[in-house]
Amino acid sequence: MIVKQHLIFILYSLCANVFKVAGTKSKAKGSQGQFPITQNVTVVEGGTANMTCRVDYNDNTSLQWSNPAQQTLFFGDKKALRDHRIELVRATSQELTIRISDVSLSDEGQYTCSLFTMPVKTTKAFLTVLGVPARPEITGFTKPAKERDVITLTCTTSGSKPAAHIRWFRNDKEVHGTREVNATGKSFTVRSSLKFEVDKQDDGVAYTCSVEHVSLSNPYLTTEVLEVHYAPQLEIRHSMIIPQEGQYFKLECVSNGNPIPEPVLWFKDGGELPDIERMIVEGRELTITTLNKTDNGTYRCEASNHLGTSSAEYTLFVYAKDFPGPTTDPNALGQHGPDHALIGGVVAVVVFITLCLIIVLGRYLARHKGTYLTHEAKGAEDAPDADTAIINAEGNHVHAEEKKEYFI
């Protein structure tokens, strides 16, 4: 009986120990069989980053956040590093979330969340900080440029991370520059240059530098409008095609130059205008109030700026008042009767074509070879009459000798 009770106690003790070990292993597996869960975070420089660490099961084991220098930021709800930018958002047995305000490029790196089990479990989260590029500046151009000058426009932006991308536009058309990237600490300075020879077509053209970056919702833009000085070019425009006596006539000196060439001077036949009462100059226009034959001649306008002088000429011929030009009433032409010159021209063309046909036909006939037959009727001379001679000739037809004759 005593032995039986002893055996029962031993079995009870063994079972208790087995259940105790099993419970201990199950508890250890619940807290030690998992790792903290984190996520990488990207933030723009100057912004705010939230760093969160979670576990699915925790038996009151503490969570901890550490920075890239392995300095403890928070151990549970206890702040360990004196940095006013870092504050606690949430601390429970299953989550530890902290907030970093006014993030700088130096905050970038690998952060560690630790679960203090035996052994300690850790998970990494990378904080990426985007450096915002500074607004671009265009340098290298001093207004104004002169035609045929070679200039270099340089667009510069600094502080970007990763390096910003620069694009150039000439008005609305993209042009390509030369890119240069230099590292400054953790950020980059980017330059792009355009080198070209300016001409008068570049005057007033807008060159725009566009900076694009992942941290920007819209690109930064800056624009430089070119001012190009060039020598003048002149052209004279007249008010009518056929100037006639008694008419009002105007000449305009159209100039193209920068600065605008002034003043505009008018001359006739190399000298001053002879009749200032009828020839009125107003700015760039010369007006002759009543044309007459004495106004015939060469008119010249002249203008200059600090880059040169230019001139243009126009030769005026004044037609008679009744000249049937484009300015005359079209109905007036029918009152002068038929156009004899036109009729004579048509007749001449017809005669010429006829002569050409005769010459061509004659040359064709002269070169054409012809053939014919001659018949000799033997004994026809001795025939008593004409009828007999004909009969004799027909009888000898088959024996006729073919003869050829050539036209020369």
Side-chain angles (χ1 to χ4, degrees), residues 281-321:
V281 176
E282 294 181 346
R284 302 178 180 278
E285 295 181 350
L286 169 62
T287 302
I288 303 177
T289 56
T290 307
L291 285 175
N292 60 51
K293 288 290 186 178
T294 62
D295 296 326
N296 291 343
T298 300
Y299 291 79
R300 186 178 86 254
C301 69
E302 184 178 292
S304 61
N305 59 21
H306 68 278
L307 294 176
T309 300
S310 181
S311 63
E313 292 185 348
Y314 172 80
T315 300
L316 173 63
F317 182 81
V318 180
Y319 291 85
K321 188 174 182 179

Side-chain angles (χ1 to χ4, degrees), residues 134-338:
R135 291 193 174 272
E137 294 182 356
I138 297 177
T139 59
F141 177 67
T142 303
K143 294 183 179 181
K146 295 181 181 179
E147 189 175 18
R148 297 187 181 88
D149 281 353
V150 176
I151 66 172
T152 301
L153 299 180
T154 301
C155 180
T156 305
T157 180
S158 59
S160 60
K161 179 184 167 299
H165 180 62
I166 294 179
R167 300 170 67 190
W168 281 101
F169 294 89
R170 184 184 188 274
N171 288 336
D172 295 327
K173 183 179 179 181
E174 184 171 3
V175 292
H176 299 286
T178 303
R179 187 170 184 252
E180 177 186 349
V181 179
N182 295 312
T184 307
K186 290 189 175 184
S187 64
F188 297 90
T189 298
V190 184
R191 294 182 179 86
S192 182
S193 299
L194 285 176
K195 185 177 182 180
F196 56 95
E197 180 179 292
V198 297
D199 59 26
K200 62 183 180 181
Q201 303 300 327
D202 288 310
D203 186 39
V205 170
Y207 280 85
T208 300
C209 170
S210 172
V211 174
E212 300 174 353
H213 194 260
V214 64
S215 65
L216 302 176
S217 56
N218 294 304
Y220 286 158
L221 303 175
T222 186
T223 300
E224 184 74 44
V225 178
L226 301 190
E227 181 182 353
V228 181
H229 284 186
Y230 52 94
Q233 293 180 335
L234 305 182
E235 175 189 0
I236 295 180
R237 296 177 184 174
H238 47 88
S239 59
M240 62 182 61
I241 300 175
I242 306 295
Q244 296 178 319
E245 289 180 305
Q247 290 182 332
Y248 179 91
F249 187 69
K250 180 185 291 185
L251 295 176
E252 180 183 4
C253 186
V254 180
S255 62
N256 179 20
N258 190 18
I260 297 174
E262 290 180 334
V264 175
L265 304 177
W266 285 94
F267 304 92
K268 180 179 183 293
D269 296 329
E272 295 183 355
L273 298 177
D275 190 345
I276 58 175
E277 293 184 358
R278 288 189 308 110
M279 299 178 177
I280 303 171
V281 176
E282 294 181 346
R284 302 178 180 278
E285 295 181 350
L286 169 62
T287 302
I288 303 177
T289 56
T290 307
L291 285 175
N292 60 51
K293 288 290 186 178
T294 62
D295 296 326
N296 291 343
T298 300
Y299 291 79
R300 186 178 86 254
C301 69
E302 184 178 292
S304 61
N305 59 21
H306 68 278
L307 294 176
T309 300
S310 181
S311 63
E313 292 185 348
Y314 172 80
T315 300
L316 173 63
F317 182 81
V318 180
Y319 291 85
K321 188 174 182 179
D322 59 349
F323 180 79
T327 56
T328 304
D329 183 0
N331 296 325
L333 295 177
Q335 300 174 1
H336 295 286

Side-chain angles (χ1 to χ4, degrees), residues 355-368:
L355 290 176
C356 289
L357 290 175
I358 293 174
I359 293 173
V360 171
L361 181 61
R363 290 177 62 85
Y364 174 78
L365 293 176
R367 294 187 179 187
H368 182 70

